[in-house]
Every structure is written in structure tokens, then in C-alpha cells.
Amino acid sequence: MSLDWIYWAISWILLIWHSAWDAIGVPATAALGTNWAWILSIIFLVITVRVILFPVFVKQIKSQRAMQALAPQIKALQEKHKGDRETLQKETMELYRKEKANPLMGCLPMFLQIPVFLGLFHVLRRLSPDNPQPTIYGWSLDQFTSASNAKLFTAPISGRFGSTAAQLNELGANPTTVKIIAGVLVLIMMATTYLTSRQMILKTGWAQDPQQRMIQRLMLYGIPASLLISGSIFPIGVIIYWVTNNLFTLGQQQWVLRKYPPPPTANLPGLPGSARTGTGGRPTTGGKATAPAAKPSGLFGRTKANGAQPAAKPAIDTKALAPKPGAKPVNPKKGRPANKRQG
């Protein structure tokens, strides 16, 4: 299947925003060796896509709430069909269908953004002065030349951490500068990707369903770790897109989670399938630690009706009463006065 329609769509949005910044007087080249018109075009490409996908993001939050509400039923199915994986999966999917819950909805916004990411990646890779087709996807020659020379702190937006010296020389860039800028952006990309997943899990808790929990762990740890390697092949412009997208997600999630707070029974990270715990590991209600129940005291744990504790009997030292070694046994009957008969 051809992806040209994606490349045309991404190019169109970029060019529309670049024309807007030109119209309001944003200079093509400004301080710090940065072409702000093109940088802002990439940033507002993110905003455009996220505004379009906002209804999907709200559905994602609602789906997560539905999954949390089904957690007790899922746990009961796991206990009922322990060891019967096929039956468990069948009845779990039937429960999802009956309650109209979709466990994959949590990843849908990310999946929908993949075509945008791939489209921008493809378009930026073509930004080279030596490209024999500079007017493809609706670009004019002037727009293509301007974008090919666009830089962030003197590093071309089409440059990559893994670019060869020959490729960077074609772009008129300093290889050391490109690697520093790209490397810092990759680290920021990893950090913000981790924070977006962590923020969601802190607010909604770990899922009871093993599949959902596996997806959460993959998003929390797996994806940021993979960016350490894959980030070296991303053009700087794509990394700008990714970081901006993560920052937008952090703000959007904060707003949505405040407007639609998770249920109070949501689990916290580190405690999958259990209640929230406070200081000392005691379960809490509403975030406040509850005191442990008082243990009954007294003989056999019984107390008097009025709540007073029965008096403790003095302890008897049996060793002190035992006869000493070598001592003659004492007959307790001896030494007692004989009973006198009453006359």
C-alpha cells in the first residue's frame, strides 16, 4: 500500500504553518543559529495532530476507567480458571465484549500517531540540497531550499546522530555539533517518553489484567529504552516532533486526569492487584493511613463487659519451690498438730 497520501498530508500541514509564520514576520534565520519558522512549523504540526486526536484520547481514558471497574471480575475469572489459559482468555474476552471495554484502546492514540511520525521521518530525510526531486509532495523549490538549510543551534533538522561525516558535509554542518545536539535531544526524548507513561500509571494504577499490565510495563520501560538505539537514526526534526508530542501529552493527561479523576480503588505502581498502602505498609482509605485493629488482651484474649482488663495474676516461680539437691524430702503431714477429740 502506498503511503504517499501521508507524505502529502504531512507536507501540506508543514507548509501551511510555515506560510503562517512567514506571514506574521517570523524570520527564517534568527539568533542562536536556529530557523525558528521551520522549528515552529514542526511544533505546530504536533499541535494540529493532537487536536485532531483529542476525542480518541478521551476515549482512551474512559476505556481505562472501564478496565479498572472490571478488575474484580477479571481477578475472579483468574482464580476460577487457574491453569486453564484457553478458557480464561475466552471468558475474559466475553466479559470485555459484554461490558463494551477494549483493552487495546489504551494504545490507540500512540498507534494513530505512527503514520504521522513515519511521514515526517520520510519527508525530512529528503531534505538535502542534492535531492534530484526537490518539488515532490507539493514543495516549491524555494520552500525545499529553505527547509534544507533549516537548523537548530546550527545543526540541520535533517541531520542525525548516526549521520556520516560525508552526509553532514553535504548539509554544511559540523559533525560534532550535530552529534551533541542530537544526543541531548535523544536523552530528552527518552526522559519525556518515560514520564508520560509514568504519569498515567501513577494516576490510574496498574491493571489487574496480565495483558494490560504487560502493555503498561512495555510502555513504561521498554519503549524509552529502545529509543537509546533507534534515536540515532532519527533526524533532529523528528526528535523535535517526538519531544514536543511528549510535552503536549504530559499537559493533556494532567488536564484530563483532573477533569476525570480515577476511581479511589485504583492501584498504585509497585502494588499490582492490592490496595494502596501507607506508612508501615498499612492499607489506607482515601490516602489516609488507618490504625491497626487493637489486639484483645488478658486471659485467652477476653475482656470484661465494661472494657476493663482483668487483673493479671502474680507469676509463681516454680524453681524456687523445688527442693534443693541433697535435701531430705519433707513430709507435709509431719509437724501438723494432731486433731484433738472433742469431749
Side-chain angles (χ1 to χ4, degrees), residues 228-248:
L228 184 62
I229 298 175
S230 59
S232 63
I233 66 172
F234 295 160
I236 287 176
V238 170
I239 303 177
I240 293 172
Y241 172 89
W242 194 305
V243 171
T244 305
N245 184 66
N246 287 344
L247 295 176
F248 192 96

Side-chain angles (χ1 to χ4, degrees), residues 99-128:
E99 300 296 334
K100 298 180 179 179
N102 188 351
L104 298 179
M105 182 61 72
C107 298
L108 185 59
M110 182 183 69
F111 289 148
L112 291 178
Q113 291 183 73
I114 290 177
V116 181
F117 173 82
L118 293 177
L120 182 62
F121 180 86
H122 177 81
V123 169
L124 291 181
R125 286 187 64 183
R126 301 184 69 86
L127 294 179
S128 171

Side-chain angles (χ1 to χ4, degrees), residues 201-220:
I201 294 176
L202 282 175
K203 294 293 184 181
T204 61
W206 287 96
Q208 293 282 355
D209 181 45
Q211 286 183 329
Q212 282 287 301
R213 198 180 304 169
M214 181 180 66
I215 292 174
Q216 286 178 321
R217 285 174 176 161
L218 174 64
M219 296 182 67
L220 183 62

Side-chain angles (χ1 to χ4, degrees), residues 276-320:
R276 181 176 182 172
T277 57
T279 306
R282 295 191 296 269
T284 65
T285 304
K288 295 181 181 180
T290 56
K295 294 182 179 180
S297 58
L299 187 62
F300 300 111
R302 293 193 295 268
T303 59
K304 292 185 178 180
N306 60 0
Q309 301 292 337
K313 295 182 179 180
I316 299 176
D317 189 357
T318 55
K319 292 183 178 180

Side-chain angles (χ1 to χ4, degrees), residues 151 205 231 272 327:
K151 294 179 174 59

